[in-house]
Amino acid sequence: MEGVKRRVVALTIDCGEPPEKRMETMIRENPVVVFSRRSCCMCHVIKRLLATVGVHATVIELEEAEAAAASAVGILPALFIGGKPIGGLEGLMALHLSGKLVPRLQEVGAYVISD
């Protein structure tokens, strides 16, 4: 797993933008976004699987208080690829086991085949 980096972004910002608006911006501006909580084992599995396939996901670690704002994205963990909701761990695993994960990641430029 060495060499695979992921961005961890704080959701709280000082300019008075509501957390829901910040979430929408993050989803729109990044090819792969994971809304996560450190204490969640399913969140850990999602991050590990994405790292294993070589994806540099933007990971937003929510504090327990911020998790209430996550109602804008649904359940946690919440995964978005190319701005589209994938769901949680079940959605990711369904894509992966069907062989559609890597092609979807390639479509959004999050996975590049190296020579």
Side-chain angles (χ1 to χ4, degrees), residues 23 27 33-37 40 42-43 46 60 62 66-80 85-92:
M23 288 176 168
I27 292 166
V33 178
V34 178
F35 290 95
S36 175
R37 284 188 316 231
C40 174
M42 290 185 294
C43 297
I46 284 178
I60 301 170
L62 300 174
E66 293 173 320
S71 62
V73 296
I75 61 168
L76 289 179
L79 172 64
F80 293 81
I86 302 304
L89 182 57
E90 286 183 22
L92 176 61

Side-chain angles (χ1 to χ4, degrees), residues 30-104:
N30 295 281
V32 180
V33 178
V34 178
F35 290 95
S36 175
R37 284 188 316 231
R38 292 186 199 284
S39 61
C40 174
C41 61
M42 290 185 294
C43 297
H44 177 73
V45 171
I46 284 178
K47 294 180 281 189
R48 293 284 293 185
L49 177 57
L50 291 171
T52 298
V53 297
V55 173
H56 302 283
T58 298
V59 177
I60 301 170
E61 299 285 359
L62 300 174
E63 300 299 324
E64 294 303 320
E66 293 173 320
S71 62
V73 296
I75 61 168
L76 289 179
L79 172 64
F80 293 81
I81 298 177
K84 296 185 173 121
I86 302 304
L89 182 57
E90 286 183 22
L92 176 61
M93 290 305 294
L95 274 178
H96 181 58
L97 294 173
S98 69
K100 296 178 182 175
L101 177 60
V102 171
R104 174 83 60 93

